[in-house]
Amino acid sequence: TLPYHTGRRTPRAAHPAAAPQRPCVCTGHAATDQQRCNFCFKKASFRDASKLPRGEMVTSAAAASFTTGAAAGGRPRPAFKTHRRSAARRAAMPPRARPIAAAVVSDPAPGAGQEKGQAPARTTDAVLRDALADGVEVIRCVYTERLKFEVEYGMQRGTTNNSYLLTGADTSALLDLPDRSFAQTFAQAIDCGAVDFIVLGHLSPKRLDTLAAVLMARPAGSPPVEVCCSNPAVQLVYAALEPGTPASSEVLAAAWQTPEGEPRARLRTLRNGDELDLGGGRMLAFTTAPTPRWPDTVVTHDRSSGLLFTSKLFSAHVATAPGAPTDASLGWDEFSADWQYFFDCMLAPMARPAAAALARLEPHIGGGASGLATSPPPLVASSAASSAAPSVAPKLSKMLNRISSNYAGGALVVESGISGGVSAAAICPLHGPVVRSAKNELVREYASWVDAQVKKADEFSVAVIYASAYGNTSAMAQAIARGVTKAGVAVEMLNCELSTSEAVEALITRTDGFCLGAPTLGGHMPTPVSNALGVIVKEASRETPSGVFGSFGWSGEAVDMMESKLKNSGFTFAFDAIRCKFKPTQETLQVCEESGTDLAQAVKKLRKKKAAAAQKEIATSSAAAAGASDTAAAVGRIVGSLCAVTARAGETQSAMLASWVSQASFNPPAITVAVAKERAVESFLLKGSTFNLNVLQAGNEKEVIKALLKPFAPGENRFGDMDVEISERNGCAVVTQALSCLECEVTQRMECGDHWVVLATVREGTLLRDGQTSIHHRKVGTSY
């Protein structure tokens, strides 16, 4: 049976005297006294869980009354009972909401549940409902455009927030909720009164409004719905229900109980291995799979249908078409880039915890699992065609992808425990398509990607240590981590709110560089960050490259305090301190990503400096080195035309000098460009984006080369003194000194070692002047 929170509360007078450190309701972490919290710096109520019964988590009288519906001093609620519906009750219930093809979502009221500094999101996309299997439906809240600037949305293919409705013979369960943009429309799209359980595989503050909307939509007299989630999510709900704290949610507090004081919901804590019987043979099994970014992750397996609901794992930010909730008929070729990009942004920086999470799922995604006695029922397939643009050379793309697997990123042949096929009928993530046809490929590649990142981390890595109050600092940390991984260096992220000083010390001693991020709360840095900073100053080597960043609402002293402390301690900075007021913009995240690349390059430079003597000895004394030198010289005889690649993302422009350029197709005209992974412009050349290829003229290229080869600070204007114009068609820069300009659209990307090969269709071409193309000659093939 699953524990739930009864509402029994130890009277305040019965508590022992205040200990030197007790947890505050704002974060659940240590504070020095009961008058003022060292994290939120506000006077707050404190809780002492040392004398509470096992499984009971109580904050204050107000929180206890909200979570159970019992007034302060009232009688404890009885133990949890499953509300099994009789046949008469089921017949008397209103019919379920019919599937809706689309719905218009209203903009949230200003300030209603929005983060500080956050502009109202455009919320006019579709809510789609499709059947996946007998008794299983998916409700997709679809964003067709990029609505956020976080690095994980960089593919600009939209996204979906997937929820799942599972119906048994006696009860039904709703798995996961969309964010606040779809709160009201989502509540209208389902029969909220028919839901007995809400299982939250992941919960964030922006999803609390949707939980409140579902509770408010339940008919009067409905029994309390059981909200089932892991312990970190339970803590988040308690903090939201506690009035007067930074994490308070008035909307959820008002929805948690009726005006008469009766509860609309109760909390239940899910633990690894718990099960839930919906009746009729539909049994849900829960597996906790925490990671630093998502410590509350719960994976659900439906034994009846064989479906595996993986929350954030195996997600992709892509808007699936109406009537096509799965990857059927599209598969790996269509969505592989989206799955890999999501992994690179979100899971690569925490590869070790991701590996542990995958290991917990091995009974469902690994070979040899007992699985189901019979083959699971097939999913409802759709014949809807993809709206994405087809490849200009599909056969060539497939062939090159097969060939590149031998060279991609120095990947090794991994003997993973995940083999022999996926036993689950399908993988149902929180974002993107339900994975059916490509489930084996996706699981295999996940294992390969994780193993490659862990191997890199064993060699050398960078630590990104942070705390975040509203999610803004964590978005900056994610962008910095993305920049580090682009440069071929592994990242290990650590949320110091959820970690100990010992964990910080262990991380600092095994990494080769670090950056520290914090919000400013009450004019100070949070206590967990202050503790981590003390460990860093004590344990880290002074030659370790470092950096600081953070967000703030009014002042921003935390960044100055961290920078001053590290500078006075003798540390060197790989990039200038990054300060963000309120929510980071696309330009801010681009600066963060480029700063992460600078940090990775500083780490690589330091390692090369330390190993210079050994490398020189190997290069001069080894016969094998002579053979390698001959190979490098032979490869260096390949020549290429010198071009300036200019690209635009939002209001940000970027450029680079390119020489690995080649024509790839006659009809339609297409080209390939090789782009180093650590280049800033790489994130501008994702599938579907546009860029200009400016072919330089022989004898007139020196000024352009000089302008593009000089070092740039993160966010600095890439064009310098170059004479450029802006194209009216795609908004990218045109180098007026160039010989010609090709306006291109990226159709495919292929990973090739330390570069990406970008395949692009030429949409427009302009000959700017007569002359000869500038050719780049090299002596060796180991550098440009």
Side-chain angles (χ1 to χ4, degrees):
T1 60
L2 295 170
Y4 83 109
H5 305 290
T6 64
R8 293 190 300 272
R9 183 174 60 86
T10 305
R12 191 176 298 275
H15 284 164
Q21 286 196 341
R22 296 199 300 168
C24 171
V25 295
C26 70
T27 61
H29 296 291
T32 54
D33 59 68
Q34 67 181 51
Q35 298 299 324
R36 190 171 294 275
C37 172
N38 282 346
F39 189 88
C40 64
F41 289 93
K42 295 179 182 288
K43 290 185 178 180
S45 301
F46 287 78
R47 59 182 182 272
D48 189 342
S50 60
K51 300 298 183 180
L52 297 180
R54 177 180 175 87
E56 195 168 333
M57 306 175 64
V58 177
T59 56
S60 67
S65 64
F66 275 128
T67 53
T68 65
R75 293 182 303 170
R77 291 280 173 182
F80 164 76
K81 295 181 180 179
T82 302
H83 301 285
R84 296 186 178 272
R85 303 193 194 106
S86 64
R89 182 189 167 209
R90 290 197 301 271
M93 291 184 61
R96 292 183 182 274
R98 296 183 62 82
I100 54 178
V104 177
V105 187
S106 59
D107 290 338
Q114 296 181 19
E115 293 188 14
K116 294 184 178 180
Q118 177 183 359
R122 184 185 66 81
T123 54
T124 55
D125 291 304
V127 177
L128 308 175
R129 188 165 173 178
D130 303 273
L132 291 181
D134 185 22
V136 181
E137 293 180 276
V138 57
I139 300 100
R140 293 176 292 146
C141 298
V142 183
Y143 300 91
T144 55
E145 296 181 5
R146 177 179 181 176
L147 299 182
K148 303 176 182 179
F149 293 124
E150 282 85 347
V151 65
E152 62 186 285
Y153 298 94
M155 294 289 284
Q156 303 188 43
R157 300 241 291 167
T159 190
T160 63
N161 276 244
N162 300 332
S163 301
Y164 303 91
L165 187 61
L166 284 72
T167 304
D170 303 312
T171 55
S172 64
L174 177 65
L175 272 59
D176 288 312
L177 299 171
D179 65 26
R180 63 170 65 96
S181 300
F182 282 94
Q184 298 301 324
T185 306
F186 178 81
Q188 298 169 9
I190 64 174
D191 182 3
C192 297
V195 175
D196 301 287
F197 303 94
I198 299 177
V199 179
L200 300 175
H202 168 65
L203 181 64
S204 61
K206 64 183 180 181
R207 301 178 192 274
L208 293 176
D209 285 4
T210 309
L211 177 58
V214 172
L215 297 180
M216 291 294 290
R218 291 176 63 79
S222 299
V225 65
E226 303 297 331
V227 179
C228 308
C229 51
S230 63
N231 186 55
V234 168
Q235 294 284 3
L236 177 61
V237 174
Y238 275 133
L241 295 175
E242 177 71 20
T245 70
S248 298
S249 172
E250 295 181 1
V251 176
L252 183 63
W256 199 265
Q257 62 182 9
T258 65
E260 295 77 21
E262 290 299 321
R264 289 194 178 100
R266 289 176 179 164
L267 280 173
R268 298 175 64 188
T269 302
L270 294 178
R271 294 181 173 85
N272 194 50
D274 285 345
E275 296 180 343
L276 179 62
D277 188 5
L278 300 182
R282 171 145 283 153
M283 181 73 72
L284 305 183
F286 303 109
T287 304
T288 57
T291 61
R293 182 66 186 266
W294 309 304
D296 60 334
T297 300
V298 175
V299 175
T300 304
H301 181 241
D302 177 23
R303 294 178 179 172
S304 175
S305 65
L307 299 177
L308 185 66
F309 304 90
T310 57
S311 185
K312 289 282 188 175
L313 299 175
F314 304 107
S315 287
H317 285 305
V318 55
T320 48
T326 76
D327 65 338
S329 77
L330 299 174
W332 181 256
D333 290 342
E334 174 63 22
F335 298 113
S336 59
D338 303 292
W339 285 320
Q340 184 172 5
Y341 189 83
F342 185 90
F343 176 89
D344 289 342
C345 292
M346 308 305 294
L347 291 169
M350 45 188 180
R352 297 183 195 276
L358 291 179
R360 289 194 171 195
L361 303 184
E362 188 171 343
H364 309 299
I365 63 175
S370 58
L372 305 173
T374 59
S375 298
L379 300 182
V380 177
S382 172
S383 59
S386 171
S387 59
S391 169
V392 297
K395 294 183 179 180
L396 175 62
S397 298
K398 291 182 180 180
M399 180 188 72
L400 293 176
N401 276 311
R402 287 196 302 270
I403 296 174
S404 68
S405 62
N406 297 323
Y407 308 97
L412 302 176
V413 178
V414 180
E415 294 295 337
S416 173
I418 302 174
S419 60
V422 178
S423 59
I427 296 173
C428 305
L430 188 59
H431 305 290
V434 173
V435 188
R436 182 190 181 193
S437 62
K439 61 181 181 180
N440 290 323
E441 293 92 332
L442 180 58
V443 170
R444 183 181 65 246
E445 291 303 314
Y446 248 70
S448 177
W449 297 335
V450 167
D451 290 344
Q453 289 296 324
V454 171
K455 180 177 175 59
K456 287 182 180 179
D458 290 338
E459 296 174 354
F460 66 106
S461 60
V462 168
V464 178
I465 305 171
Y466 70 97
S468 185
Y470 299 101
N472 299 330
T473 306
S474 65
M476 299 173 68
Q478 206 70 48
I480 292 174
R482 169 65 176 160
V484 174
T485 56
K486 280 176 55 177
V489 178
V491 177
E492 296 196 48
M493 297 186 72
L494 183 70
N495 186 341
C496 54
E497 301 171 74
L498 308 175
S499 306
T500 63
S501 297
E502 291 75 15
V504 175
E505 179 180 351
L507 180 61
I508 284 296
T509 54
R510 70 170 181 263
T511 53
D512 301 87
F514 70 90
C515 59
L516 186 64
T520 298
L521 300 175
H524 298 77
M525 73 178 80
T527 298
V529 178
S530 178
N531 294 338
L533 181 59
V535 173
I536 291 171
V537 170
K538 179 181 178 181
E539 301 295 339
S541 170
R542 294 306 185 265
E543 64 179 1
T544 302
S546 62
V548 294
F549 62 96
S551 62
F552 59 95
W554 304 109
S555 49
E557 293 90 342
V559 176
D560 297 332
M561 295 168 66
M562 294 186 296
E563 183 181 30
S564 175
K565 182 71 171 179
L566 292 175
K567 186 175 182 180
N568 293 338
S569 300
F571 289 92
T572 58
F573 296 101
F575 57 85
D576 294 334
I578 307 174
R579 298 170 177 84
C580 172
K581 189 169 185 178
F582 296 123
K583 191 172 182 67
T585 62
Q586 182 174 354
E587 291 75 13
T588 303
L589 294 177
Q590 183 65 27
V591 170
C592 291
E593 186 172 318
E594 294 176 11
S595 299
T597 300
D598 289 347
L599 177 59
Q601 290 175 340
V603 169
K604 294 166 72 174
K605 183 177 180 180
L606 179 63
R607 288 179 62 87
K608 287 181 180 179
K609 182 178 179 180
K610 291 181 178 180
Q615 291 177 348
K616 182 177 180 180
E617 181 180 356
I618 293 175
T620 55
S621 62
S622 173
S629 178
D630 291 342
T631 301
V635 174
R637 295 306 184 265
I638 301 174
V639 299
S641 58
L642 280 173
C643 303
V645 174
T646 58
R648 175 178 178 266
E651 300 301 321
T652 307
Q653 297 273 358
S654 188
M656 77 165 192
L657 188 68
S659 59
W660 295 2
V661 181
S662 177
Q663 184 170 348
S665 172
F666 287 129
N667 187 22
I671 61 169
T672 59
V673 181
V675 184
K677 291 181 177 179
E678 68 267 18
R679 291 297 186 102
V681 77
E682 182 272 334
S683 59
F684 291 68
L685 302 179
L686 301 174
K687 186 177 179 181
S689 60
T690 59
F691 68 93
N692 287 349
L693 184 72
N694 301 272
V695 183
L696 302 184
Q697 182 183 18
N700 192 30
E701 74 276 24
K702 291 185 179 179
E703 291 184 8
V704 178
I705 294 175
K706 181 179 179 181
L708 292 179
L709 288 183
K710 71 175 183 180
F712 291 98
E716 185 179 349
N717 180 15
R718 292 294 192 272
F719 303 123
D721 298 330
M722 284 174 26
D723 186 12
V724 298
E725 298 177 353
I726 302 300
S727 171
E728 295 181 356
R729 285 181 287 265
N730 61 12
C732 301
V734 177
V735 179
T736 57
Q737 294 176 268
L739 187 65
S740 65
C741 178
L742 307 178
E743 298 186 7
C744 308
E745 180 180 354
V746 178
T747 55
Q748 294 289 340
R749 283 163 51 105
M750 182 175 68
E751 189 177 13
C752 296
D754 53 7
H755 281 66
W756 284 99
V757 173
V758 176
L759 177 64
T761 301
V762 179
R763 300 303 184 190
E764 297 285 345
T766 304
L767 188 62
L768 301 178
R769 56 176 46 85
D770 293 331
Q772 298 294 318
T773 301
S774 178
I775 303 298
H776 181 49
H777 296 273
R778 300 179 299 163
K779 293 183 178 180
V780 294
T782 56
S783 65
Y784 295 116

